[in-house]
Amino acid sequence: MQVLQGNGEIIQALQKIPKLQAFDKKDLRKILSCSQILKYEPGETIAREEEPDQRIYFIVSGKVRVTRHGVEIKVLARTGDVFGEMRLLSVSGRTSSVSAVDQTVCLVTDVAAMENLRKEDRVAFAAIYYMVMAEVLARRLKETSDELTRVRGELQRLKSSTGIADTVGSA
């Protein structure tokens, strides 16, 4: 992991994240006061399942693999993809592990550092992150619903092709 320096470079990286493009440089600097831009090499572990971690990650560039209990859940590769966001909703350890597939650059924000901001900055910061969270969670809920629909259809197809459909629920 390498920490990238230079406010100009960092602000440019932030402006690449679609969810943050609506904010001016002043607001982005507030985010930076609680954040770092980190670069990870391919294969490097970014977050470990079950470990406590108070950070939220935005992909600036690259690709990461998300796994749970060693099973791949998904690959994130879009600028602005977020992981670690459940930290805003729960104080438990990480629910999954994340590792870099390619060289990956992330905006890494320490949620605990938000408490050190002035009250008005904390409100603005929280508004930005909760807006992002609502969008992320809505997208993930849709993806989960789509997957559930696909799995139910496949299950129904398998039941029909094996004749199990006629016997299930007829006890």
Side-chain angles (χ1 to χ4, degrees), residues 1 10 30 44 47 57-58 64 68 91 97 113 133 141-142 152 157 161 163:
M1 169 180 51
I10 293 171
K30 289 175 190 172
E44 187 174 353
Y57 301 78
F58 289 85
V64 299
R68 186 168 187 166
V91 293
S97 294
M133 283 299 302
L141 179 59
K142 181 191 179 311
R152 283 185 174 168
R157 186 190 67 72
S161 69

Side-chain angles (χ1 to χ4, degrees), residues 15-128:
Q15 289 174 327
K16 291 180 183 177
I17 298 172
K19 295 169 183 71
L20 300 180
Q21 288 174 349
F23 299 99
D24 61 27
K25 287 183 180 182
K26 182 181 103 183
D27 290 326
L28 293 177
R29 282 190 179 87
K30 289 175 190 172
I31 292 172
L32 279 178
S33 69
C34 301
S35 305
Q36 293 179 304
I37 299 288
L38 301 179
K39 181 166 64 171
Y40 300 92
E41 295 302 319
E44 187 174 353
T45 299
I46 299 171
R48 291 190 200 294
E49 190 172 348
E50 302 298 329
E51 287 188 2
D53 186 354
Q54 304 229 11
R55 297 174 295 179
I56 299 169
Y57 301 78
F58 289 85
I59 295 176
V60 176
S61 64
K63 184 187 302 186
V64 299
R65 176 175 290 109
V66 181
T67 59
R68 186 168 187 166
H69 306 300
V71 176
E72 183 176 301
I73 297 171
K74 66 175 19 187
V75 172
L76 302 173
R78 293 185 311 234
T79 297
D81 276 347
V82 178
F83 58 95
E85 75 286 345
M86 296 308 288
R87 182 67 189 112
L88 286 174
L89 304 174
S90 170
V91 293
S92 63
R94 291 277 176 215
T95 59
S96 56
S97 294
V98 180
S99 59
V101 174
D102 300 332
Q103 188 174 74
T104 301
V105 176
C106 294
L107 166 69
V108 182
T109 302
D110 185 341
V111 176
M114 186 172 73
E115 295 303 318
N116 297 327
L117 295 173
R118 293 180 320 186
K119 184 177 180 177
E120 59 272 10
D121 290 341
R122 206 174 351 174
V123 169
F125 184 89
I128 291 168

Side-chain angles (χ1 to χ4, degrees), residues 116-153:
N116 297 327
L117 295 173
R118 293 180 320 186
K119 184 177 180 177
E120 59 272 10
D121 290 341
R122 206 174 351 174
V123 169
F125 184 89
I128 291 168
Y129 273 90
Y130 284 108
M131 178 192 72
V132 167
M133 283 299 302
E135 184 179 323
V136 167
L137 292 176
R139 186 181 78 244
R140 294 217 177 134
L141 179 59
K142 181 191 179 311
E143 290 170 357
T144 301
S145 295
D146 291 348
E147 179 70 6
L148 179 59
T149 300
R150 187 193 65 73
V151 167
R152 283 185 174 168

